[in-house]
Amino acid sequence: GAFYGPKIDIKVMDAMERVHQCATIQLDFQLPIRFGLEYNTGIKEEGKQFARPVMVHRAMLGSVERMFAVLCEHYGGKWPFWLSPRQVMIVPVHKEWNEYCQEVRDRLHAEGFYADVDLSKATFQKKVRNAQVDQYNFQLVVGKAEVENGTVNIRTRDNKVEGEKKVEDLIAYLKEMQAEHK
């Protein structure tokens, strides 16, 4: 309740057009009195040397749990790349390319991206499908041509094939997406 002083509530609307209170900023005139708080004003005149401060309470996200719930519902599990806990899944077409896939993963990790490699014995189609169901933003498909060219073949979680890219170009692209909060 706003019983200390003036209060500003910042509310956001989720994808289902429901309103959620997130941030709050409120002035508090009562706690400084209760704690006996004073500050030196620098004025030499008798009775004006000290003054009572005003406290400012702020909660920028409301509660972390509430903000997380709003984000979960808003994105419906399809987290944007910059926020996603599952950014990239690297999918080798054959186990021969596992080592190259792990090298690509290590390069992505070194750049601060979350990346996995599917080294399971599942079929190629099943690996791609699992990555889509698990909501990885990108699946990087690796076969003989990609290993020879130092590239990866990019698919989105919506199964859009973006084509072959050099790993350095992919890293630059992912950094740009992250910087632009996409």
Side-chain angles (χ1 to χ4, degrees), residues 122-140:
T123 65
F124 168 73
Q125 290 84 0
K126 183 69 174 165
K127 290 178 182 183
V128 170
R129 181 69 184 132
N130 287 343
Q132 289 171 333
V133 169
D134 290 343
Q135 295 297 333
Y136 280 88
N137 297 77
F138 295 101
Q139 297 96 49
L140 308 181

Side-chain angles (χ1 to χ4, degrees), residues 29-49:
F29 301 103
Q30 299 303 314
L31 282 181
I33 293 170
R34 291 174 69 192
F35 288 133
L37 301 178
E38 294 182 331
Y39 66 93
N40 188 331
T41 63
I43 299 172
K44 303 280 189 231
E45 187 178 327
E46 186 64 35
K48 294 188 179 181
Q49 295 101 336

Side-chain angles (χ1 to χ4, degrees), residues 101-115:
C101 290
Q102 289 173 317
E103 290 171 14
V104 172
R105 182 204 52 210
D106 292 345
R107 287 179 67 185
L108 291 171
H109 277 190
E111 295 293 337
F113 298 111
Y114 183 90

